[in-house]
Amino acid sequence: MCFICCRGRNPAERSFYEDGFCAAPTGDKANFYTEEELKTFLSCVKDNDPTTRYTAILTLAMTGMRKGEMMGITWNDLDFKAKSITINKARTRTGLGPPKSDNGYRKVSMNNELYSQLKIYKAWCIKKKWENSMP
């Protein structure tokens, strides 16, 4: 079963409430996917958008970073040799700024799945840049 990603064009516009999921903790209810739910969700996203959305959601799921931190990452923050991501900024409503707290400055490791997907995504970005620059 696909959760939000199969319901419409923009999964961010859909609600988790229909499937019993909630964006914010409520009472004693856990606010995270089980391993099986995460696998199902990632599979659904990959089937519907194997490049951009899948890369973003996989990055969030495998690193635990905040979405603003992920949106602030540049290619210079990725170390493919060391398989790590340096988090040193975050995107907010007003632009690019520091992470939410001093503990937000950190390095996180990439597992092999994320490493491979980020390499694929980087190649896709380069290809798209060249395609869009041709007259």
Side-chain angles (χ1 to χ4, degrees):
M1 174 183 170
C2 293
F3 299 107
I4 60 171
C5 60
C6 296
R7 293 215 173 96
R9 294 183 61 201
N10 185 352
E13 293 176 353
R14 304 296 179 239
S15 170
F16 285 118
Y17 289 109
E18 297 171 29
D19 285 328
F21 292 99
C22 177
T26 56
D28 295 334
K29 188 174 181 180
N31 187 30
F32 55 87
Y33 284 138
T34 65
E35 186 176 348
E36 191 58 38
E37 288 171 334
L38 181 60
K39 284 181 185 177
T40 302
F41 180 68
L42 288 172
S43 175
C44 180
V45 175
K46 190 173 188 177
D47 289 346
N48 286 278
D49 185 353
T51 309
T52 55
R53 287 187 183 149
Y54 178 67
T55 302
I57 292 171
L58 183 68
T59 301
L60 292 170
M62 296 296 128
T63 63
M65 68 176 74
R66 296 177 175 97
K67 65 182 178 181
E69 293 171 338
M70 182 203 61
M71 292 169 60
I73 291 173
T74 64
W75 291 117
N76 291 333
D77 298 324
L78 302 177
D79 184 343
F80 286 106
K81 290 180 184 170
K83 289 187 176 180
S84 67
I85 303 170
T86 301
I87 301 170
N88 54 20
K89 57 194 165 301
R91 184 160 302 282
T92 65
R93 290 182 191 145
T94 58
L96 206 56
K100 198 170 181 178
S101 70
D102 287 341
N103 291 331
Y105 293 93
R106 63 195 186 281
K107 271 193 180 188
V108 293
S109 298
M110 294 183 227
N111 65 11
N112 290 334
E113 182 181 8
L114 180 58
Y115 171 83
S116 297
Q117 184 61 33
L118 286 171
K119 295 284 270 187
I120 290 167
Y121 182 65
K122 186 173 184 178
W124 180 85
C125 287
I126 292 168
K127 179 182 174 194
K128 286 293 179 187
K129 183 177 179 180
W130 278 103
E131 286 175 0
N132 292 336
S133 69
M134 297 295 176

